[in-house]
Amino acid sequence: MTSIQVAQRGTGRLREFNEAGVLSAADVHVAVRLGRLGRETNDDVLFATALAVRAIRSGSVCLELARMREIGVDVDENRDTATGIDPAMLPWPDLDQVLVALRKSPLITGGQAGPLRPLRLVEADASGGPLLYLDRYFQQEQVLRRVLTERATTHPLVNVDIARAELDRLFATPLGDGPDRQRVAAALAATHWTTVVAGGPGTGKTHTIARILALLTAHRAKATPKLPPLRIALAAPTGKAAARLQEAVREQAAEVGLPELTASTLHRLLGWQRGRGTRFKHHEHNRLPYDVVVVDETSMVSLTMMSHLFAALRPDTRLVLVGDPDQLASVDAGAVLADLVAGPVSTTPNPALSALLDEPDQGLTALEQHRLSGGIVRLTRGRRFGGRIADLAVAVRAGDADAAVEILRAGGDEVSLCGADEVAAVRADVVAAARAVTEAAVAGDAVGALTALESHRLLCAHRQGPFGVAQWDRLAGEWAAAAGAGPETGAGVWYPGQPLLVTANDHEARIYNGDTGVIVRQPDGSLRAAVQRGSEPYLVHPTQFPSVVTVFAMTIHRSQGSQYDTVSVVLPDPESTLLTRELLYTAITRARSHVRVIGGEESIRAAIGRRVLRASGLSRAMPEN
């Protein structure tokens, strides 16, 4: 067991909760430091401040004061258990007592020490209890609120006849019974400054992005031919996601009539400036020059990055946010996409939207109609997988543990459940994939090697420990080597069939953190690393990688945005706080044809019953303070 670091400056309740593992040393240090700067000594205020710091570290934007007793022990993935202390037995303060202290605290109101107000208290409203923010995150959330509200008060000018004709051209093939939500999404983007396109894996999000851009491009050319072509920016939170977005749009460009477009990370889009006082080149005083900005994988974008983007947008720039709100959110604080999809919407009636949608063809629920008026649509028709995998994903997303367990118990060609010691099936898949990868790599078949690499993937919740990537990656590597799919005798660092994971970006070399590839032998006997880039592999010398590791297993977080034929998911014990519904859903939806869950039913039920608690005020209708 790893010992808990105890803050030397912590006293009283702060120290007790630190020693119990509820607060970290860093949480305590920040609270004590702010207290000294603001001349605040009240124990309740300092305790609430430390919890607010912990909330940020845990991915929340603020602390829900009424739910502070639900905060558990901070379990490190390197430990099987924490301190053994039941958090419910700790001396939690009374909520009313904390609120009274906060309302008069100089950390909230300012004081004799100066105008410093590092905390913001937002009192209870109809949609929830009081929230305590660190001021920085409160201000970032307010930027989003203000920009969204301002952008919702007007609508772009649309030539309905031209837009309808283009919709008919781009969505000529019916998708089946019911409303074509992809067409609805395109109509939304034409008639709103801000559009949110939500959808699970395989629902056609990138297909829809290409057609949205084709619609807007054609509308500009035909409705206002004297204006220059649209300036379009494609962006994503990571280099890997940006590369995939660029490939997906370019593959459809000729079909729908788009120019060649380049995607970048959000950091590159905003112009990251290392060591400068102004963090990004583009901000509220130097706006982005684009007419259309599309952000893919928006669920992975933090509140901080989203606030920078919103501040840098011109009022007349169309913004299209695309992603799956049910997947794992950003590693940093905030779950902006999920908040936008679930929260209140600012609506201003737009006759142009109604004119572009055939009323008999809509077939949308009253809630969907309301969300449409706010520029939000959810794609629902999945194409990546169906059958039992889709049923399992739906059960997990809905929180129906009984249905999920029943589906896994039944087994079959698409889903299976194995105990932690039942490794025969996963070993067979690891060996089969490794052999296929090696055979193709030795023959110089880069396409075949990359295809085989995606035939199976081991996914883990933890990095370390008996259920972690380190353990299973080593085990799978041993299985592969024993089957003859490992390093050749006397081989150096690199060998044909070696599976690779890139862990750093090199934009010049077109290599991105999260890329996977394989070492392939060339006709002249030299070795190259093949990385998937659209329909053709991208070959680079292995030494060009900024940072790379051999990979047989990876974390579920790293797998986001990827697809594999078969996925084997290693679940930790039920007590693991990393085990959540969003994590299990993300892992399941990486698979095209088969999902194997390795773990007990208790872990499955624990995962489905434990949601990522990311507190924020963005999903509430709150006035600005």
Side-chain angles (χ1 to χ4, degrees):
M1 179 185 296
T2 303
S3 61
I4 293 173
Q5 184 178 0
V6 177
Q8 297 303 312
R9 294 182 178 180
T11 59
R13 185 182 286 121
L14 287 177
R15 188 175 187 87
E16 188 167 357
F17 277 75
N18 178 200
E19 291 176 341
V22 173
L23 296 174
S24 73
D27 302 333
V28 174
H29 283 311
V30 173
V32 171
R33 177 65 173 165
L34 289 178
R36 289 183 176 179
L37 289 174
R39 299 180 183 175
E40 173 60 83
T41 59
N42 184 280
D43 189 54
D44 290 330
V45 172
L46 296 180
F47 178 67
T49 302
L51 288 180
V53 176
R54 184 198 194 278
I56 298 297
R57 185 167 52 82
S58 302
S60 291
V61 173
C62 56
L63 170 68
E64 289 186 77
L65 287 163
R67 301 182 65 182
M68 62 181 171
R69 289 175 178 265
E70 297 178 27
I71 296 174
V73 171
D74 219 354
V75 178
D76 189 299
E77 65 171 64
N78 293 312
R79 300 191 298 263
D80 292 332
T81 60
T83 61
I85 297 174
D86 183 358
M89 302 304 294
L90 292 170
W92 294 91
D94 177 72
L95 173 60
D96 292 335
Q97 175 183 316
V98 172
L99 285 173
V100 168
L102 284 171
R103 288 179 187 129
K104 60 184 180 182
S105 171
L107 298 184
I108 298 285
T109 64
Q112 295 180 353
L116 177 69
R117 295 176 60 197
L119 301 180
R120 292 292 185 119
L121 177 64
V122 177
E123 294 281 13
D125 63 7
S127 58
L131 304 176
L132 182 65
Y133 288 81
L134 297 185
D135 183 69
R136 171 188 173 188
Y137 295 92
F138 176 81
Q139 298 297 344
Q140 290 175 356
E141 197 173 271
Q142 293 304 94
V143 168
L144 265 64
R145 287 180 175 280
R146 173 178 55 79
V147 174
L148 285 169
T149 301
E150 291 172 352
R151 292 171 65 83
T153 56
T154 63
H155 297 288
L157 294 176
V158 179
N159 184 310
V160 173
D161 292 334
I162 293 174
R164 176 177 277 278
E166 290 302 316
L167 285 170
D168 291 340
R169 173 179 71 87
L170 295 166
F171 299 94
T173 304
L175 293 178
D177 297 334
D180 185 345
R181 288 177 172 81
Q182 293 183 0
R183 177 176 176 135
V184 171
L188 275 182
T191 56
H192 287 71
W193 294 120
T194 306
T195 303
V196 177
V197 181
T203 52
K205 294 189 292 292
T206 52
H207 177 91
T208 304
I209 289 172
R211 277 149 183 78
I212 286 173
L213 296 176
L215 168 63
L216 298 178
T217 299
H219 183 273
R220 165 68 74 95
K222 294 178 180 179
T224 53
K226 294 183 178 180
L227 293 179
L230 287 175
R231 292 164 294 183
I232 299 172
L234 302 178
T238 67
K240 176 184 175 182
R244 287 179 179 267
L245 172 62
Q246 178 175 297
E247 293 159 13
V249 172
R250 285 185 175 182
E251 286 174 356
Q252 302 174 67
E255 177 187 352
V256 299
L258 276 177
E260 184 171 292
L261 298 171
T262 300
S264 70
T265 63
L266 284 167
H267 277 81
R268 286 173 69 88
L269 175 71
L270 292 171
W272 168 260
Q273 301 180 117
R274 186 183 300 275
R276 296 289 297 274
T278 303
R279 191 173 181 184
F280 293 103
K281 175 184 176 182
H282 294 288
H283 44 75
E284 61 182 329
H285 303 300
N286 181 31
R287 304 294 178 91
L288 289 164
Y290 301 103
D291 302 302
V292 182
V293 173
V294 176
V295 181
D296 196 17
E297 297 287 359
T298 308
S299 64
M300 298 166 64
V301 182
S302 69
L303 171 67
T304 298
M305 179 55 69
M306 196 70 86
S307 69
H308 285 302
L309 172 65
F310 273 48
L313 289 173
R314 298 195 331 247
D316 61 345
T317 295
R318 281 185 174 90
L319 175 64
V320 182
L321 302 175
V322 185
D324 184 353
D326 298 307
Q327 282 191 174
L328 288 164
S330 163
V331 175
D332 297 319
V336 177
L337 181 66
D339 285 341
L340 293 179
V341 171
V345 296
S346 299
T347 61
T348 302
N350 187 0
L353 177 62
S354 299
L356 291 179
L357 298 178
D358 293 322
E359 292 295 335
D361 183 51
Q362 278 187 34
L364 302 172
T365 66
L367 178 60
E368 285 181 305
Q369 294 278 9
H370 175 67
R371 309 300 286 174
L372 278 187
S373 63
I376 300 170
V377 63
R378 184 187 279 269
L379 308 181
T380 57
R381 188 175 284 111
R383 295 168 179 76
R384 179 184 299 178
F385 49 70
R388 303 304 279 168
I389 297 178
D391 294 341
L392 179 60
V394 168
V396 171
R397 189 175 68 187
D400 191 341
D402 289 339
V405 169
E406 183 179 344
I407 291 168
L408 286 167
R409 276 180 183 166
D413 295 334
E414 298 174 2
V415 299
S416 57
L417 176 63
C418 301
D421 298 327
E422 299 173 21
V423 298
V426 67
R427 178 171 184 163
D429 277 346
V430 167
V431 168
R435 282 176 170 167
V437 169
T438 300
E439 182 179 342
V442 169
D445 180 6
V447 173
L450 288 169
T451 300
L453 190 65
E454 291 190 346
S455 63
H456 177 261
R457 177 64 74 209
L458 257 170
L459 300 179
C460 304
H462 289 188
R463 295 185 187 88
Q464 304 295 331
F467 310 103
V469 167
Q471 166 80 2
W472 283 85
D473 190 75
R474 179 189 59 77
L475 193 60
E478 291 174 355
W479 291 339
E488 299 171 336
T489 303
V493 177
W494 314 106
Y495 62 91
Q498 183 178 4
L500 304 174
L501 172 67
V502 179
T503 58
N505 290 323
D506 186 336
H507 296 282
E508 299 287 334
R510 294 174 55 209
I511 298 168
Y512 306 106
N513 187 359
D515 274 342
T516 53
V518 61
I519 298 294
V520 177
R521 178 171 287 153
Q522 299 299 287
D524 62 1
S526 64
L527 299 178
R528 292 291 183 271
V531 179
Q532 192 67 57
R533 287 286 181 270
S535 58
E536 293 295 326
Y538 176 50
L539 298 177
V540 298
H541 195 279
T543 57
Q544 284 188 257
F545 287 118
S547 181
V548 67
V549 296
T550 301
V551 60
F552 287 96
M554 66 171 56
T555 62
I556 297 170
H557 273 87
R558 274 202 179 274
S559 73
Q560 289 193 95
S562 299
Q563 304 174 34
Y564 309 98
D565 293 336
T566 297
V567 166
S568 295
V569 186
V570 181
L571 297 184
D573 285 336
E575 293 78 16
S576 171
T577 55
L578 294 180
L579 192 58
T580 64
R581 184 184 306 178
E582 291 82 357
L583 188 88
L584 183 57
Y585 171 83
T586 300
I588 289 168
T589 54
R590 298 310 94 208
R592 299 187 187 98
S593 57
H594 188 92
V595 172
R596 176 185 296 111
V597 175
I598 302 170
E601 290 183 11
E602 297 82 2
S603 292
I604 297 167
R605 292 183 181 278
I608 295 173
R610 184 184 294 119
R611 301 215 64 176
V612 174
L613 296 177
R614 294 219 165 186
S616 84
L618 196 60
S619 59
R620 297 188 185 185
M622 288 197 306
E624 294 190 12
N625 276 23

